[in-house]
Coordinates of all heavy atoms in Angstrom, one line a residue:
M77 N 31.6 10.0 18.1 CA 30.3 10.4 18.6 C 29.4 9.2 18.7 O 29.2 8.4 17.7 CB 29.7 11.4 17.6 CG 28.5 12.2 18.2 SD 28.1 13.6 17.2 CE 26.6 13.0 16.4
A78 N 28.9 8.9 19.8 CA 28.2 7.6 20.1 C 26.9 7.6 19.4 O 26.5 6.5 19.0 CB 28.0 7.4 21.6
T79 N 26.2 8.7 19.2 CA 24.9 8.7 18.6 C 25.0 8.4 17.1 O 23.9 8.0 16.5 CB 24.2 10.0 18.8 OG1 25.1 11.1 18.4 CG2 23.8 10.2 20.2
A80 N 26.1 8.5 16.5 CA 26.3 8.2 15.0 C 26.3 6.7 14.8 O 26.1 6.3 13.7 CB 27.5 8.9 14.5
M81 N 26.7 6.0 15.8 CA 26.8 4.5 15.7 C 25.4 3.9 15.6 O 24.5 4.4 16.4 CB 27.5 3.9 16.9 CG 29.0 4.3 17.0 SD 30.0 3.4 15.8 CE 29.9 1.8 16.5
P82 N 25.1 2.9 14.8 CA 23.8 2.2 14.8 C 23.6 1.6 16.2 O 24.5 1.0 16.7 CB 23.9 1.2 13.7 CG 25.3 1.3 13.2 CD 26.1 2.3 13.9
Q83 N 22.4 1.7 16.6 CA 22.0 1.2 17.9 C 21.8 -0.3 17.8 O 21.1 -0.8 17.0 CB 20.7 1.9 18.4 CG 20.3 1.5 19.8 CD 19.0 2.1 20.2 OE1 18.4 2.8 19.5 NE2 18.6 1.8 21.4
S84 N 22.5 -1.1 18.6 CA 22.4 -2.6 18.5 C 21.7 -3.2 19.6 O 21.2 -4.4 19.5 CB 23.8 -3.1 18.4 OG 24.6 -2.8 19.5
T85 N 21.5 -2.5 20.7 CA 20.7 -3.1 21.8 C 19.7 -2.1 22.3 O 19.9 -0.9 22.2 CB 21.6 -3.5 23.0 OG1 22.4 -2.3 23.4 CG2 22.6 -4.6 22.7
C86 N 18.6 -2.6 22.9 CA 17.5 -1.8 23.4 C 18.0 -0.9 24.6 O 18.7 -1.4 25.5 CB 16.4 -2.7 23.8 SG 15.0 -1.8 24.6
D87 N 17.6 0.3 24.7 CA 17.9 1.2 25.8 C 17.3 0.7 27.1 O 17.8 0.9 28.2 CB 17.5 2.6 25.5 CG 18.5 3.4 24.6 OD1 19.6 2.9 24.5 OD2 18.1 4.4 24.0
R88 N 16.1 0.1 27.0 CA 15.4 -0.2 28.2 C 15.7 -1.6 28.7 O 16.0 -1.8 29.9 CB 13.9 -0.1 27.9 CG 13.0 -0.3 29.2 CD 11.6 -0.6 28.8 NE 10.8 0.6 28.5 CZ 9.6 0.5 28.0 NH1 9.0 -0.7 27.8 NH2 8.9 1.6 27.8
C89 N 15.7 -2.6 27.8 CA 15.9 -4.0 28.3 C 17.2 -4.6 27.8 O 17.5 -5.8 28.2 CB 14.7 -4.9 27.9 SG 14.6 -5.2 26.1
Q90 N 17.9 -3.9 27.0 CA 19.3 -4.3 26.5 C 19.2 -5.6 25.6 O 20.2 -6.2 25.3 CB 20.2 -4.7 27.7 CG 20.4 -3.5 28.7 CD 20.9 -2.2 28.1 OE1 21.7 -2.2 27.2 NE2 20.2 -1.1 28.4
A91 N 18.0 -5.9 25.1 CA 17.8 -7.0 24.1 C 18.5 -6.6 22.8 O 18.4 -5.4 22.5 CB 16.4 -7.3 23.9
P92 N 19.1 -7.5 22.1 CA 19.6 -7.2 20.8 C 18.5 -6.7 19.8 O 17.5 -7.3 19.8 CB 20.3 -8.5 20.3 CG 19.7 -9.5 21.1 CD 19.2 -8.9 22.4
L93 N 18.9 -5.7 19.0 CA 17.9 -5.1 18.1 C 18.2 -5.6 16.6 O 19.4 -5.7 16.3 CB 17.9 -3.6 18.1 CG 17.4 -3.0 19.4 CD1 17.6 -1.5 19.3 CD2 15.9 -3.2 19.6
V94 N 17.2 -5.8 15.8 CA 17.4 -6.0 14.4 C 17.9 -4.7 13.8 O 17.5 -3.6 14.3 CB 16.0 -6.4 13.7 CG1 16.2 -6.6 12.2 CG2 15.5 -7.6 14.4
E95 N 18.8 -4.7 12.8 CA 19.3 -3.5 12.2 C 18.1 -2.7 11.6 O 17.2 -3.2 11.0 CB 20.3 -3.9 11.1 CG 21.2 -2.8 10.7 CD 22.2 -3.1 9.7 OE1 22.4 -4.3 9.5 OE2 22.7 -2.2 9.0
D96 N 18.2 -1.4 11.8 CA 17.1 -0.4 11.4 C 15.8 -0.7 12.0 O 14.8 -0.2 11.4 CB 17.1 -0.5 9.8 CG 18.3 0.2 9.2 OD1 18.9 1.0 9.8 OD2 18.6 -0.2 8.0
A97 N 15.7 -1.4 13.1 CA 14.4 -1.6 13.7 C 13.9 -0.3 14.3 O 14.7 0.5 14.8 CB 14.5 -2.6 14.8
A98 N 12.6 -0.1 14.3 CA 12.0 1.1 14.9 C 11.6 0.8 16.4 O 11.5 1.7 17.2 CB 10.8 1.6 14.1
Y99 N 11.3 -0.5 16.6 CA 10.9 -0.9 18.0 C 11.7 -2.1 18.4 O 12.1 -2.9 17.6 CB 9.4 -1.2 18.0 CG 8.5 -0.1 17.7 CD1 8.1 0.2 16.4 CD2 8.0 0.7 18.8 CE1 7.2 1.3 16.2 CE2 7.2 1.8 18.5 CZ 6.8 2.1 17.2 OH 6.0 3.1 17.0
C100 N 11.8 -2.2 19.8 CA 12.4 -3.4 20.4 C 11.4 -4.6 20.3 O 10.3 -4.4 20.6 CB 12.8 -3.1 21.8 SG 13.3 -4.5 22.7
D101 N 11.9 -5.7 19.8 CA 11.0 -6.9 19.7 C 10.7 -7.4 21.1 O 9.6 -8.0 21.3 CB 11.8 -8.0 19.0 CG 11.7 -7.8 17.5 OD1 10.8 -7.1 17.0 OD2 12.6 -8.4 16.8
N102 N 11.5 -7.1 22.1 CA 11.3 -7.7 23.4 C 10.3 -6.9 24.2 O 9.4 -7.4 24.8 CB 12.7 -7.8 24.1 CG 12.6 -8.6 25.3 OD1 12.0 -9.7 25.3 ND2 13.2 -8.1 26.4
C103 N 10.5 -5.6 24.3 CA 9.7 -4.8 25.2 C 8.9 -3.7 24.5 O 8.1 -3.0 25.1 CB 10.6 -4.1 26.3 SG 11.7 -2.8 25.7
G104 N 9.1 -3.5 23.2 CA 8.4 -2.5 22.5 C 8.9 -1.1 22.6 O 8.3 -0.1 22.1
E105 N 10.0 -0.9 23.2 CA 10.6 0.5 23.4 C 11.0 1.0 22.0 O 11.6 0.2 21.2 CB 11.8 0.4 24.3 CG 12.6 1.7 24.4 CD 12.0 2.7 25.4 OE1 10.8 2.5 25.8 OE2 12.7 3.6 25.8
R106 N 10.8 2.2 21.7 CA 11.3 2.8 20.4 C 12.8 2.9 20.4 O 13.4 3.2 21.5 CB 10.7 4.2 20.3 CG 9.4 4.3 19.6 CD 9.0 5.7 19.2 NE 7.6 5.7 19.0 CZ 6.7 6.5 19.7 NH1 7.1 7.2 20.6 NH2 5.4 6.4 19.4
T107 N 13.4 2.7 19.3 CA 14.8 2.9 19.2 C 15.2 4.3 19.0 O 14.3 5.2 18.7 CB 15.4 2.1 18.0 OG1 14.8 2.6 16.8 CG2 15.1 0.6 18.1
R108 N 16.4 4.7 19.3 CA 16.9 6.1 19.1 C 16.6 6.6 17.7 O 16.2 7.7 17.5 CB 18.3 6.2 19.5 CG 18.6 6.3 20.9 CD 20.1 6.2 21.2 NE 20.4 5.0 22.1 CZ 21.5 4.4 22.1 NH1 22.5 4.7 21.3 NH2 21.7 3.4 23.0
K109 N 16.8 5.7 16.8 CA 16.6 6.1 15.4 C 15.2 6.5 15.1 O 14.9 7.5 14.5 CB 17.1 5.0 14.5 CG 17.0 5.4 13.0 CD 17.4 4.2 12.1 CE 17.3 4.6 10.6 NZ 17.9 3.6 9.8
A110 N 14.3 5.7 15.6 CA 12.8 5.9 15.5 C 12.4 7.3 16.1 O 11.7 8.0 15.6 CB 12.0 4.8 16.0
R111 N 13.0 7.5 17.3 CA 12.7 8.8 18.0 C 13.2 10.0 17.2 O 12.5 11.0 17.2 CB 13.3 8.8 19.4 CG 12.5 7.9 20.4 CD 12.8 8.3 21.8 NE 14.2 8.0 22.2 CZ 14.6 6.9 22.8 NH1 13.7 6.0 23.1 NH2 15.8 6.7 23.1
R112 N 14.4 9.8 16.6 CA 14.9 10.9 15.8 C 14.0 11.1 14.6 O 13.7 12.3 14.2 CB 16.3 10.5 15.3 CG 17.4 11.3 15.9 CD 18.7 11.4 15.1 NE 19.1 10.1 14.5 CZ 19.8 9.1 15.0 NH1 20.1 9.2 16.3 NH2 20.1 8.1 14.3
M113 N 13.5 10.1 14.0 CA 12.6 10.2 12.8 C 11.3 10.9 13.2 O 10.8 11.7 12.4 CB 12.3 8.8 12.2 CG 13.5 8.1 11.6 SD 14.2 9.1 10.2 CE 12.9 8.8 9.0
I114 N 10.8 10.6 14.4 CA 9.6 11.2 14.8 C 9.8 12.7 15.0 O 9.0 13.5 14.6 CB 9.1 10.5 16.1 CG1 8.5 9.2 15.8 CG2 8.0 11.4 16.8 CD1 8.3 8.3 16.9
R115 N 10.9 13.1 15.6 CA 11.2 14.5 15.8 C 11.3 15.2 14.5 O 10.8 16.3 14.4 CB 12.6 14.7 16.6 CG 12.4 14.6 18.1 CD 13.5 15.3 18.8 NE 14.8 14.6 18.6 CZ 15.2 13.6 19.3 NH1 14.5 13.1 20.3 NH2 16.4 13.0 19.0
L116 N 11.9 14.6 13.5 CA 12.1 15.1 12.2 C 10.7 15.3 11.6 O 10.4 16.4 11.0 CB 13.0 14.2 11.3 CG 13.3 14.8 9.9 CD1 14.3 15.9 10.0 CD2 13.9 13.7 9.1
A117 N 9.9 14.3 11.7 CA 8.5 14.4 11.1 C 7.7 15.5 11.7 O 7.0 16.2 11.0 CB 7.8 13.0 11.3
V118 N 7.8 15.7 13.0 CA 7.1 16.8 13.7 C 7.6 18.1 13.2 O 6.8 19.0 12.9 CB 7.3 16.7 15.2 CG1 6.8 17.9 15.9 CG2 6.5 15.4 15.8
R119 N 8.9 18.3 13.0 CA 9.4 19.5 12.5 C 8.9 19.8 11.1 O 8.6 20.9 10.8 CB 11.0 19.4 12.5 CG 11.6 20.5 13.4 CD 13.1 20.3 13.5 NE 13.4 19.3 14.6 CZ 14.5 18.7 14.7 NH1 15.5 18.9 13.8 NH2 14.7 17.9 15.7
V120 N 8.9 18.8 10.2 CA 8.4 19.0 8.9 C 7.0 19.4 8.9 O 6.5 20.3 8.1 CB 8.7 17.7 8.0 CG1 7.9 17.8 6.7 CG2 10.1 17.5 7.8
E121 N 6.2 18.7 9.8 CA 4.8 19.0 9.9 C 4.5 20.5 10.3 O 3.7 21.2 9.8 CB 4.1 18.1 10.9 CG 2.7 17.9 10.7 CD 2.2 16.7 11.5 OE1 2.4 15.6 11.0 OE2 1.5 16.9 12.5
L122 N 5.3 20.9 11.3 CA 5.2 22.3 11.8 C 5.5 23.3 10.7 O 4.9 24.3 10.5 CB 6.1 22.5 13.0 CG 5.6 21.9 14.3 CD1 6.6 22.1 15.4 CD2 4.3 22.4 14.8
L123 N 6.6 23.0 9.9 CA 7.0 23.8 8.8 C 5.9 23.9 7.8 O 5.6 25.0 7.3 CB 8.3 23.2 8.2 CG 9.0 24.1 7.1 CD1 9.7 25.3 7.8 CD2 10.0 23.3 6.4
F124 N 5.3 22.8 7.5 CA 4.2 22.7 6.5 C 3.0 23.6 7.0 O 2.4 24.3 6.2 CB 3.8 21.3 6.3 CG 2.7 21.1 5.3 CD1 3.0 21.2 3.9 CD2 1.4 20.8 5.6 CE1 2.0 21.1 3.0 CE2 0.4 20.7 4.7 CZ 0.7 20.8 3.3
I125 N 2.6 23.4 8.3 CA 1.5 24.2 8.8 C 1.8 25.7 8.7 O 1.0 26.5 8.4 CB 1.2 23.8 10.3 CG1 0.6 22.3 10.3 CG2 0.3 24.7 11.0 CD1 0.6 21.7 11.6
G126 N 3.1 26.1 9.0 CA 3.5 27.5 9.0 C 3.3 28.0 7.5 O 2.9 29.1 7.3
L127 N 3.7 27.2 6.5 CA 3.6 27.6 5.1 C 2.1 27.8 4.8 O 1.8 28.8 4.1 CB 4.2 26.6 4.2 CG 5.8 26.6 4.2 CD1 6.3 25.4 3.4 CD2 6.3 27.9 3.5
V128 N 1.3 26.9 5.2 CA -0.2 27.0 4.9 C -0.7 28.3 5.5 O -1.5 29.0 4.9 CB -0.9 25.8 5.4 CG1 -2.4 26.0 5.3 CG2 -0.5 24.5 4.5
V129 N -0.4 28.6 6.7 CA -0.8 29.8 7.4 C -0.4 31.0 6.7 O -1.2 32.0 6.5 CB -0.4 29.8 8.9 CG1 -0.6 31.2 9.5 CG2 -1.1 28.7 9.7
L130 N 0.9 31.0 6.3 CA 1.4 32.2 5.5 C 0.7 32.4 4.2 O 0.4 33.5 3.8 CB 2.9 31.9 5.2 CG 3.9 32.4 6.3 CD1 5.3 32.0 5.9 CD2 3.8 33.9 6.5
L131 N 0.4 31.2 3.5 CA -0.3 31.3 2.2 C -1.7 31.9 2.4 O -2.1 32.7 1.7 CB -0.4 29.8 1.7 CG -0.5 29.7 0.2 CD1 0.7 30.2 -0.5 CD2 -0.8 28.2 -0.2
V132 N -2.4 31.4 3.5 CA -3.8 31.9 3.7 C -3.7 33.4 4.1 O -4.5 34.2 3.6 CB -4.4 31.0 4.9 CG1 -5.7 31.7 5.4 CG2 -4.7 29.6 4.4
A133 N -2.8 33.7 4.9 CA -2.6 35.1 5.3 C -2.3 36.0 4.1 O -2.9 37.1 3.9 CB -1.5 35.3 6.3
G134 N -1.5 35.5 3.2 CA -1.1 36.2 2.0 C -2.3 36.4 1.1 O -2.6 37.5 0.6
F135 N -3.1 35.4 0.9 CA -4.3 35.5 0.0 C -5.3 36.4 0.6 O -5.9 37.2 -0.1 CB -4.9 34.1 -0.1 CG -4.4 33.3 -1.3 CD1 -3.7 32.2 -1.1 CD2 -4.6 33.8 -2.6 CE1 -3.1 31.5 -2.2 CE2 -4.0 33.2 -3.7 CZ -3.3 32.0 -3.5
T136 N -5.5 36.4 2.0 CA -6.4 37.3 2.7 C -6.0 38.7 2.5 O -6.8 39.6 2.2 CB -6.4 36.9 4.2 OG1 -6.7 35.5 4.3 CG2 -7.5 37.7 4.9
L137 N -4.7 39.0 2.5 CA -4.2 40.3 2.3 C -4.4 40.8 0.9 O -4.9 41.9 0.7 CB -2.6 40.3 2.6 CG -2.0 41.7 2.7 CD1 -2.4 42.4 4.0 CD2 -0.4 41.5 2.7
V138 N -4.2 39.9 -0.1 CA -4.4 40.3 -1.5 C -5.9 40.6 -1.7 O -6.2 41.6 -2.4 CB -3.9 39.1 -2.4 CG1 -4.4 39.4 -3.8 CG2 -2.4 39.1 -2.4
Y139 N -6.8 39.8 -1.2 CA -8.2 40.0 -1.4 C -8.6 41.3 -0.7 O -9.4 42.1 -1.3 CB -9.0 38.8 -0.8 CG -9.2 37.7 -1.8 CD1 -8.6 36.5 -1.6 CD2 -10.0 37.9 -2.9 CE1 -8.8 35.4 -2.5 CE2 -10.1 36.9 -3.9 CZ -9.6 35.7 -3.6 OH -9.7 34.7 -4.5
S140 N -8.1 41.6 0.5 CA -8.5 42.8 1.2 C -8.0 44.0 0.5 O -8.6 45.1 0.5 CB -8.1 42.7 2.6 OG -6.7 42.8 2.7
L141 N -6.8 43.9 -0.2 CA -6.3 45.1 -0.9 C -7.0 45.3 -2.2 O -7.0 46.5 -2.7 CB -4.8 44.8 -1.2 CG -3.9 44.9 0.0 CD1 -2.4 44.6 -0.4 CD2 -3.9 46.3 0.6
Q142 N -7.6 44.3 -2.8 CA -8.3 44.4 -4.1 C -9.7 45.1 -3.9 O -10.2 45.6 -4.9 CB -8.5 43.1 -4.7 CG -7.3 42.6 -5.5 CD -7.5 41.2 -6.0 OE1 -8.4 40.5 -5.5 NE2 -6.7 40.8 -6.9
Q143 N -10.2 45.2 -2.7 CA -11.5 45.7 -2.5 C -11.5 47.2 -2.1 O -10.5 47.7 -1.7 CB -12.3 44.9 -1.5 CG -12.8 43.6 -2.1 CD -13.1 42.6 -1.0 OE1 -13.2 42.9 0.2 NE2 -13.3 41.4 -1.4
Ligands
LIG309 ZN1 13.6 -3.6 24.8

C-alpha cells in the first residue's frame, strides 16, 4: 500500500521533504500526513460537538421532566 509509506517528496513540486514534515519547505504544500491529521482532528471535533449537544439535550430533558 503506497499510502503507508512515509512521504519523501512534495506532491506539488517534488522537492525532498524532511521526515515527519507537515509542510513542504520549498512551496508550502501540506504533506499527505498533515492532511490526514487535519481530517482526524475535524472528526474528533465533530464527535466532541455531538457529545456536547447530547449532554445539553439530556439535561434539558431531565429539567423538563422534573417540573
Ligand atoms: Zn513543494
Side-chain angles (χ1 to χ4, degrees):
M77 200 166 106
T79 51
M81 293 285 290
Q83 186 182 359
S84 57
T85 56
C86 174
D87 280 339
R88 190 198 276 173
C89 70
Q90 306 304 317
L93 292 173
V94 181
E95 199 179 338
D96 289 333
Y99 293 92
C100 169
D101 281 339
N102 192 46
C103 71
E105 175 83 346
R106 271 189 199 119
T107 60
R108 278 171 236 155
K109 184 180 176 170
R111 283 200 294 264
R112 250 200 323 273
M113 291 300 288
I114 289 167
R115 274 202 297 273
L116 185 71
V118 167
R119 239 172 277 163
V120 168
E121 201 165 288
L122 287 176
L123 189 71
F124 182 75
I125 290 169
L127 282 173
V128 170
V129 167
L130 273 176
L131 206 67
V132 169
F135 272 115
T136 307
L137 190 69
V138 167
Y139 272 114
S140 65
L141 287 176
Q142 276 175 343
Q143 283 161 10

